[in-house]
Amino acid sequence: MNDRIDWTAHYQALDAAHHLHPFSDMGALNRTGSRVIVHGEGVYLRDSEGVRIIDGMAGLWCVNLGYGRQELIDAACRQMHELPYYNTFFKTTHPPVAELSALLAELLPTRFNRFLYCNSGSEANDTALRAVHRYWAVQGKPEKRHVIARHNAYHGSTIAAATLGGMTGMHEQMLSKLEHVAHIGQPYWFGEGGTMDPHDFGLECARQLEAKILELGADKVAAFIGEPFQGAGGVIFPPASYWPEIQRICREHDVLLIADEVIGGFGRTGEWFAHEHFGFEPDVITMAKGITSGYVPMGAVALSDAIADAIIEGGEFNHGFTYSGHPLAAAVAVTNLNLLRDEGIVTRVRHDTGPYFQRCLREALAHHPIVGEIAGTGLVAGIQLAEDPATRKRFDITDAIGTLCRDFSFEGNLVMRASDDRMLLSPPLVVTHAEIDEIVQKARAAIDATAQAIRRAA
Ligand code: PXG
């Protein structure tokens, strides 16, 4: 690089002039300028000033294998040379998509043997709805079309996925939504449990599903969709009573259960899929992110045999994208999933790095004066900031407090995300003990700085 050019200013200026970032106040951002990320290696990023940053979020919950894995680069290169693109619309297939499908069938519970592909988590959830509606139509029950989702869920940013999601800020900006979607409450005990104990609150939340099904009429409800734990909504772990009751209700009323595993899938909790951690059995699973460790975009939908068989017998299903099962993405996914399995990475998250991460976080923060709860398992955690942890009193400035803490964290060169007043961590699954120590120490420093800033302001 030419030393006389200020590359940071150069890219910041181009970016401010021409690029609209997702979920960002661009007026404010353009005045300060974006941090320019130029390189990644393992769990570390480097910015254009040469500063090393530890990535406590695995990008956006996706870089499960960490940055710079040569095997993924080689898989992509080989596939680029061999066959960079072909489709599977008109009686053709290709080796990467066939291999990926067989591999997913091995990794998922035995009743999942058929997969649809797309390019993102949002498209996976759109696709799941298309498949569920098709299923009920070929069953002769096309009136089963309502889908029930939850407040403060995140299922993506397309019209369908954003309607399914329960983010108020997104709904407020949508002038038109998907029809036949209803929402129930989220199982967020710390914030909404009141005087109930977590067990009873979990049952109460699940029973909102039953009430909604009865209100709409079971013969009109196609499916319930939920993230096993809410990711973007704050790493909200439901009480243990929640998912078994949801499953009972779905079965009893003949409502399909869709697990959105876009964040939870591919090892995050120490199980291959987060629903296995919570012990329930979905009928449909949506996936993205970690399927390729984020190296190339890909999404997928797993259908249980009962659903897939019915759709297959039902004739043509008019759905698909130019890039469904893209060979490059599929080749990277196959290599990525083989590495996660053959290097024992998911097993290590379950038995070693996951428990170590959870223990260190609790040792450092469980008794912190502004920490009310630490939720999580494996390599994902949500740290609840609270004005009074003992009474579960939250700060009045829920949004601002998280942003403050996140900014301290980023200044300290740790990527930690805020969701209102919860601080979220989800590092690459290859993180070592020493790197976990660094993440926890930097998270603690950011939370200390937040506590001090509030004390000064009081
Ligand atoms: N489902 C879940 C559970 C997700 O977390 C999507 C679907 C949509 O995936 P795509 O690939 O369409 O973005 C997501 C995405 C954040 C953040 O800040 C989270 C997501 C995306 C962007 C930012 O936590 N999750």
Short mmCIF file of all heavy atoms in Angstrom, two decimals, residues 60-61 120-122 125 154-156 227 232 260 262-263 289 417, ligand 1:
data_model
loop_
_atom_site.label_atom_id
_atom_site.label_comp_id
_atom_site.label_asym_id
_atom_site.label_seq_id
_atom_site.Cartn_x
_atom_site.Cartn_y
_atom_site.Cartn_z
N LEU A 60 -21.59 -12.31 12.31
CA LEU A 60 -22.96 -12.20 12.82
C LEU A 60 -23.44 -13.60 13.16
O LEU A 60 -24.29 -14.15 12.49
CB LEU A 60 -23.88 -11.56 11.78
CG LEU A 60 -23.92 -10.03 11.74
CD1 LEU A 60 -24.84 -9.55 10.62
CD2 LEU A 60 -24.36 -9.45 13.07
N TRP A 61 -22.85 -14.21 14.15
CA TRP A 61 -23.22 -15.54 14.64
C TRP A 61 -22.96 -16.61 13.59
O TRP A 61 -23.66 -17.63 13.56
CB TRP A 61 -24.70 -15.64 15.01
CG TRP A 61 -25.43 -14.49 15.59
CD1 TRP A 61 -25.90 -13.39 14.94
CD2 TRP A 61 -25.85 -14.35 16.97
NE1 TRP A 61 -26.59 -12.58 15.82
CE2 TRP A 61 -26.58 -13.14 17.06
CE3 TRP A 61 -25.69 -15.13 18.12
CZ2 TRP A 61 -27.14 -12.68 18.25
CZ3 TRP A 61 -26.27 -14.67 19.29
CH2 TRP A 61 -26.98 -13.46 19.35
N SER A 120 -30.02 -17.51 2.29
CA SER A 120 -29.97 -16.76 3.55
C SER A 120 -30.98 -17.33 4.53
O SER A 120 -31.84 -18.13 4.14
CB SER A 120 -30.31 -15.28 3.31
OG SER A 120 -31.69 -15.17 2.95
N GLY A 121 -30.89 -16.85 5.76
CA GLY A 121 -31.87 -17.28 6.75
C GLY A 121 -33.26 -16.74 6.45
O GLY A 121 -34.26 -17.44 6.68
N SER A 122 -33.33 -15.51 5.97
CA SER A 122 -34.64 -14.94 5.61
C SER A 122 -35.31 -15.80 4.54
O SER A 122 -36.49 -16.16 4.66
CB SER A 122 -34.49 -13.52 5.06
OG SER A 122 -33.83 -12.68 5.97
N ASN A 125 -36.64 -19.05 5.89
CA ASN A 125 -37.95 -18.95 6.56
C ASN A 125 -39.08 -18.72 5.57
O ASN A 125 -40.16 -19.30 5.71
CB ASN A 125 -37.90 -17.87 7.65
CG ASN A 125 -37.08 -18.35 8.84
OD1 ASN A 125 -37.16 -19.52 9.22
ND2 ASN A 125 -36.27 -17.47 9.41
N TYR A 154 -36.54 -12.95 15.90
CA TYR A 154 -35.95 -12.46 14.66
C TYR A 154 -35.89 -13.60 13.66
O TYR A 154 -35.26 -14.63 13.92
CB TYR A 154 -34.54 -11.88 14.88
CG TYR A 154 -34.05 -11.17 13.63
CD1 TYR A 154 -34.54 -9.91 13.30
CD2 TYR A 154 -33.16 -11.78 12.75
CE1 TYR A 154 -34.15 -9.27 12.13
CE2 TYR A 154 -32.76 -11.14 11.58
CZ TYR A 154 -33.26 -9.88 11.27
OH TYR A 154 -32.88 -9.25 10.11
N HIS A 155 -36.56 -13.40 12.52
CA HIS A 155 -36.53 -14.44 11.49
C HIS A 155 -36.03 -13.90 10.16
O HIS A 155 -36.08 -14.61 9.15
CB HIS A 155 -37.93 -15.05 11.32
CG HIS A 155 -38.41 -15.78 12.54
ND1 HIS A 155 -37.77 -16.89 13.04
CD2 HIS A 155 -39.45 -15.53 13.39
CE1 HIS A 155 -38.41 -17.33 14.14
NE2 HIS A 155 -39.41 -16.51 14.37
N GLY A 156 -35.57 -12.65 10.11
CA GLY A 156 -34.99 -12.12 8.89
C GLY A 156 -35.67 -10.84 8.43
O GLY A 156 -36.52 -10.29 9.13
N GLU A 227 -37.33 -19.59 17.33
CA GLU A 227 -35.91 -19.88 17.53
C GLU A 227 -35.82 -20.68 18.83
O GLU A 227 -36.40 -20.26 19.84
CB GLU A 227 -35.12 -18.59 17.69
CG GLU A 227 -35.27 -17.58 16.56
CD GLU A 227 -35.03 -16.15 17.07
OE1 GLU A 227 -33.86 -15.76 17.23
OE2 GLU A 227 -36.01 -15.41 17.30
N ALA A 232 -30.93 -12.67 18.18
CA ALA A 232 -30.88 -11.21 18.09
C ALA A 232 -31.75 -10.55 19.17
O ALA A 232 -31.46 -9.44 19.62
CB ALA A 232 -31.33 -10.76 16.70
N ASP A 260 -36.38 -22.43 13.93
CA ASP A 260 -35.44 -21.56 13.20
C ASP A 260 -34.07 -21.75 13.83
O ASP A 260 -33.78 -21.22 14.90
CB ASP A 260 -35.91 -20.10 13.29
CG ASP A 260 -34.97 -19.15 12.54
OD1 ASP A 260 -33.79 -19.51 12.35
OD2 ASP A 260 -35.41 -18.05 12.18
N VAL A 262 -31.20 -20.89 12.45
CA VAL A 262 -30.23 -20.08 11.70
C VAL A 262 -29.03 -19.71 12.58
O VAL A 262 -27.88 -19.75 12.14
CB VAL A 262 -30.93 -18.84 11.10
CG1 VAL A 262 -29.92 -17.83 10.58
CG2 VAL A 262 -31.86 -19.27 9.97
N ILE A 263 -29.28 -19.40 13.85
CA ILE A 263 -28.19 -19.12 14.78
C ILE A 263 -27.82 -20.36 15.58
O ILE A 263 -26.64 -20.66 15.80
CB ILE A 263 -28.59 -17.97 15.75
CG1 ILE A 263 -28.47 -16.62 15.04
CG2 ILE A 263 -27.71 -17.98 17.00
CD1 ILE A 263 -28.82 -15.41 15.89
N LYS A 289 -26.30 -19.21 7.91
CA LYS A 289 -25.10 -18.81 8.69
C LYS A 289 -24.03 -19.90 8.79
O LYS A 289 -23.21 -20.04 7.91
CB LYS A 289 -25.54 -18.34 10.08
CG LYS A 289 -26.40 -17.05 10.06
CD LYS A 289 -26.53 -16.46 11.44
CE LYS A 289 -27.55 -15.33 11.52
NZ LYS A 289 -27.07 -14.02 11.24
N ARG A 417 -22.12 -7.75 21.03
CA ARG A 417 -23.30 -7.09 20.50
C ARG A 417 -24.25 -6.74 21.64
O ARG A 417 -24.29 -7.45 22.65
CB ARG A 417 -23.98 -8.04 19.52
CG ARG A 417 -25.15 -7.45 18.74
CD ARG A 417 -25.90 -8.56 18.08
NE ARG A 417 -27.09 -8.21 17.37
CZ ARG A 417 -28.10 -7.47 17.79
NH1 ARG A 417 -28.05 -6.86 18.94
NH2 ARG A 417 -29.17 -7.29 17.05
N1 PXG B 1 -33.36 -16.40 11.65
C1 PXG B 1 -32.61 -16.08 12.70
C2 PXG B 1 -32.82 -16.77 13.99
C3 PXG B 1 -31.61 -15.12 12.56
O1 PXG B 1 -30.87 -14.78 13.62
C4 PXG B 1 -32.27 -14.85 10.26
C5 PXG B 1 -33.21 -15.82 10.45
C6 PXG B 1 -32.15 -14.21 8.92
O2 PXG B 1 -30.99 -14.61 8.29
P1 PXG B 1 -30.37 -13.72 7.10
O3 PXG B 1 -29.30 -14.61 6.56
O4 PXG B 1 -31.44 -13.48 6.11
O5 PXG B 1 -29.87 -12.45 7.73
C7 PXG B 1 -31.44 -14.49 11.31
C8 PXG B 1 -30.39 -13.44 11.09
C9 PXG B 1 -27.83 -9.40 14.89
C10 PXG B 1 -28.20 -9.99 13.58
O6 PXG B 1 -27.45 -8.23 14.92
C11 PXG B 1 -28.80 -11.22 13.52
C12 PXG B 1 -29.16 -11.73 12.28
C13 PXG B 1 -28.88 -11.04 11.12
C14 PXG B 1 -28.26 -9.80 11.20
C15 PXG B 1 -27.91 -9.26 12.43
O7 PXG B 1 -27.95 -10.09 15.92
N2 PXG B 1 -29.80 -12.94 12.24
#
